[in-house]
Amino acid sequence: MKRISAPRRTASLSAQLVESLRSHIQAGGWPVGTRIPPEQALIEELGVGRSTLREAIGALVHLGLLEPRAGDGTYVRSSSELQSVMVRRAGSAKRDDVLELRTVLEEYAAGAAALRRSEEQVRRLRELLADGEAAAAGADASAATGVDALFHRSVVRASGNDLLIEMYDHLGTALSSHLGGLSWDAAHAEEHAGLHRRLVDAIEARDAGGARAAAAAIVRLTHDHETTEKPATDGMGRDRRPRRPSH
């Protein structure tokens, strides 16, 4: 018996427009935080009907890429669905959960980087080590935090795993907001710097086990230091430590 031929499926105009606008956002055509062109301008530029455009914009709002603001137009909220979902979820997570996630991602990435890194990537990590130590020596906490974030992103990029790189990039803001802001004394700062040097040495030597151990130790040091530094608070979140009398 002759089989029935399945009908050919083609994407609707609205679906095509969603994909086109999503690609435009991901490519940076509309940067995150900017307002997209008004509806009429888009209708004229794209040659589509009002209902088709509104359907596509609504889909992108649902995906978390766009955000309508009453009386002020529609703004780009994130560059991808993954970023929107992950940043929102990580931003509401417990600090310990974020630290555990960071350990998983960075430990695996460090081991993969040791096996796949290029000589150029090792040189870049060495440069960032020097920049971080210079920022720390100059007591520039903001600069040191920024360099540290670049360093860890560079380790992840050296892993060669595109999905892991994308995931880590999207979580970068949430990780920094959760894990930043600690003050380091001289002893902790030196231990922190030493672990970073050990990590780069292991990556350069293609020592995957050593790289994973160093990456895990860096996160563990951050967690231990944060735990000892964080003061006890009352039910309203106020510091319960006794205050020194003013002089």
Side-chain angles (χ1 to χ4, degrees):
M1 181 180 294
K2 186 177 180 181
R3 298 183 62 183
I4 301 174
S5 299
R8 296 196 176 197
R9 299 173 185 269
T10 58
S12 68
L13 182 57
S14 175
Q16 293 179 56
L17 184 56
V18 168
E19 187 56 38
S20 176
L21 295 178
R22 178 163 52 185
S23 297
H24 188 67
I25 292 170
Q26 290 176 338
W30 292 338
V32 174
T34 61
R35 183 172 57 188
I36 70 172
E39 183 179 87
Q40 188 57 42
L42 287 174
I43 289 172
E44 294 175 1
E45 179 181 353
L46 300 170
V48 297
R50 193 175 304 277
S51 61
T52 298
L53 177 63
R54 289 182 175 178
E55 187 177 346
I57 295 296
L60 293 173
V61 169
H62 180 71
L63 290 172
L65 301 188
L66 297 179
E67 177 185 13
R69 299 180 187 175
D72 193 28
T74 301
Y75 285 74
V76 180
R77 182 178 182 182
S78 65
S79 60
S80 76
E81 304 97 299
L82 182 62
Q83 181 185 42
S84 175
V85 171
M86 293 177 67
V87 170
R88 183 169 62 249
R89 181 64 187 90
S92 63
K94 294 185 296 184
R95 190 182 184 94
D96 282 353
D97 289 349
V98 175
L99 282 159
E100 286 183 11
L101 177 59
R102 182 183 173 188
T103 302
V104 170
L105 295 179
E106 294 194 10
E107 187 175 347
Y108 178 84
L115 300 176
R116 302 169 183 165
R117 93 299 185 278
S118 67
E119 294 299 325
E120 178 57 34
Q121 287 170 327
V122 172
R123 283 194 293 272
R124 176 58 177 160
L125 290 173
R126 294 286 182 195
E127 290 174 358
L128 289 169
L129 276 180
D131 290 345
E133 291 178 6
D140 189 340
S142 177
T145 298
V147 173
D148 189 64
L150 284 174
F151 174 88
H152 288 287
R153 280 189 170 91
S154 296
V155 171
V156 175
R157 288 183 181 282
S159 74
N161 184 318
D162 289 340
L163 184 58
L164 177 60
I165 292 167
E166 183 180 3
M167 180 180 293
Y168 192 86
D169 280 347
H170 291 334
L171 279 174
T173 301
L175 289 171
S176 298
S177 65
H178 270 269
L179 305 175
L182 295 180
S183 59
W184 298 80
D185 57 31
H188 278 101
E190 178 52 37
E191 184 178 3
H192 190 254
L195 286 172
H196 282 68
R197 289 192 293 269
R198 197 174 97 193
L199 173 56
V200 178
D201 289 343
I203 290 174
E204 184 171 26
R206 299 191 185 279
D207 176 6
R212 288 195 297 269
I218 290 170
V219 182
R220 189 164 54 249
L221 176 65
T222 302
H223 176 268
D224 292 345
H225 181 50
E226 187 274 342
T227 301
T228 57
E229 183 189 65
K230 188 175 180 179
T233 58
D234 61 17
M236 298 296 291
R238 293 175 298 221
D239 192 342
R240 291 177 56 189
R241 292 177 299 182
R243 297 180 179 271
R244 294 183 179 182
S246 57
H247 297 286

